[in-house]
Amino acid sequence: ENVRLLTPAVDLCKINLLCMLLQISKRSLQRYRSTGALPYKILGKKTYYSEDDVLKFLSEHVKDFQKDDVEFYKARIHNFFNK
């Protein structure tokens, strides 16, 4: 399962799926985590990301992505979390 309900208001996304949605490598995602650019949650031994944190990250790190694609990525993330 790719999304796990933490509370009634917070859905979380796994690493592999977020890499696919953002079209980045696991190493890039790790770098964003390590530098504090992308907040994350650890449940058990797995790392998860919230929709709000990912959307905020995209807004703040536009330079890391092609500017034309940022809205595309935001829409993808939003659509995924709101299935």
Side-chain angles (χ1 to χ4, degrees):
E1 182 176 317
N2 290 319
V3 176
R4 185 175 195 169
L5 194 60
L6 178 63
T7 68
V10 180
D11 286 329
L12 301 175
C13 178
K14 288 184 180 180
I15 292 173
N16 290 342
L17 185 61
L18 187 58
C19 287
M20 182 193 73
L21 291 170
L22 295 179
Q23 298 175 331
I24 60 174
S25 68
K26 288 182 184 180
R27 182 65 191 115
S28 292
L29 196 56
Q30 173 63 45
R31 186 175 65 252
Y32 292 130
R33 264 197 328 262
S34 297
T35 61
L38 181 57
Y40 61 97
K41 283 103 176 126
I42 296 179
L43 298 174
K45 295 183 179 182
K46 297 189 184 237
T47 304
Y48 296 89
Y49 302 88
S50 73
E51 177 183 11
D52 289 341
D53 289 340
V54 173
L55 293 175
K56 182 177 177 187
F57 164 77
L58 284 171
S59 294
E60 293 175 353
H61 293 85
V62 168
K63 66 184 183 308
D64 295 342
F65 298 88
Q66 292 183 5
K67 290 185 184 205
D68 296 340
D69 292 338
V70 170
E71 290 306 315
F72 167 76
Y73 290 122
K74 284 183 176 182
R76 249 177 127 164
I77 297 297
H78 182 74
N79 289 338
F80 169 76
F81 277 99
N82 294 291
K83 286 183 192 178

